[in-house]
Amino acid sequence: MAEETKDRIQTPANEAIDRREFFVKMGLGSLGLAAGGTAAFAYQFLSPNVLYEPSPVVNMGKPESYPLDSVTLDVDARIFVIHSQEGFFGLNAVCTHLGCLTAWKPETQTIACPCHGSKFTREGLKKEGPAPKPLPWLRMWVSDEGELMVDRGNEIRAMQFVRV
Ligand code: FES
């Protein structure tokens, strides 16, 4: 327990500090805390409040890896790469109903949604089910290195094929 004399405060460890020194230390400590809080607030205020997402452009590899008349689903990118007689194209594989990932059913030549039964043609047109819209076509091009690139964030008109 601290004992206070006229100008000195006696701490339990018997270290005497005078009143002026005590209040100077308290004041400096309070200023330090206030400065730290202000710096933390300023850093939070000045740093951009954005959500960093991966690029929407996906490298789908060499065209030769897609046989003619194939439909290939990239589960991670959520894209179908389709190699048809007319050329290559990319479809968004996310169902336009409630966002489930669709799958290619070769036995029925249909892209089917497992959630509520929507079905689409290979070109993304709706055949049946509750989906309100066809599957969107995505911009596709061939890079300088000869690889198929797809921009998931860029929908295009249907029936624009990439010929390699
Ligand atoms: S999410 Fe595809 S049919 Fe409902």
Side-chain angles (χ1 to χ4, degrees):
M1 190 155 162
E3 264 180 47
E4 190 174 336
T5 59
K6 186 176 174 209
D7 276 346
R8 305 197 62 81
I9 298 172
Q10 193 72 34
T11 64
N14 250 2
E15 296 165 348
I17 53 172
D18 68 26
R19 183 182 296 265
R20 177 180 300 255
E21 192 180 340
F22 173 76
F23 283 114
V24 166
K25 284 183 176 173
M26 288 292 289
L28 287 175
S30 301
L31 279 176
L33 278 176
T38 303
F41 176 76
Y43 174 77
Q44 190 176 12
F45 179 76
L46 294 174
S47 58
N49 191 15
V50 294
L51 182 64
Y52 294 101
E53 292 184 352
S55 168
V57 176
V58 184
N59 183 335
M60 301 305 292
K62 296 284 184 192
E64 304 85 68
S65 40
Y66 300 95
L68 188 62
D69 279 327
S70 67
V71 178
T72 307
L73 173 63
D74 183 313
V75 174
D76 294 332
R78 307 182 134 227
I79 293 170
F80 284 111
V81 173
I82 297 157
H83 186 188
S84 67
Q85 298 287 343
E86 297 87 359
F88 290 90
F89 61 100
L91 275 185
N92 190 336
V94 175
C95 182
T96 54
H97 182 222
L98 292 178
C100 288
L101 185 64
T102 57
W104 172 243
K105 303 290 178 193
E107 61 278 6
T108 55
Q109 294 288 297
T110 301
I111 295 173
C113 180
C115 293
H116 312 103
S118 288
K119 291 188 171 66
F120 304 87
T121 66
R122 191 176 70 166
E123 288 73 29
L125 295 173
K126 188 183 114 176
K127 287 166 80 175
E128 60 182 78
K133 294 188 299 184
L135 296 176
W137 283 49
L138 301 172
R139 189 169 92 84
M140 177 185 269
W141 69 98
V142 179
S143 70
D144 293 342
E145 292 76 32
E147 294 174 324
L148 288 172
M149 308 295 289
V150 178
D151 185 349
R152 289 179 298 182
N154 198 342
E155 296 180 7
I156 60 171
R157 260 184 314 109
M159 311 309 272
Q160 296 182 64
F161 300 94
V162 173
R163 291 182 182 85
V164 178

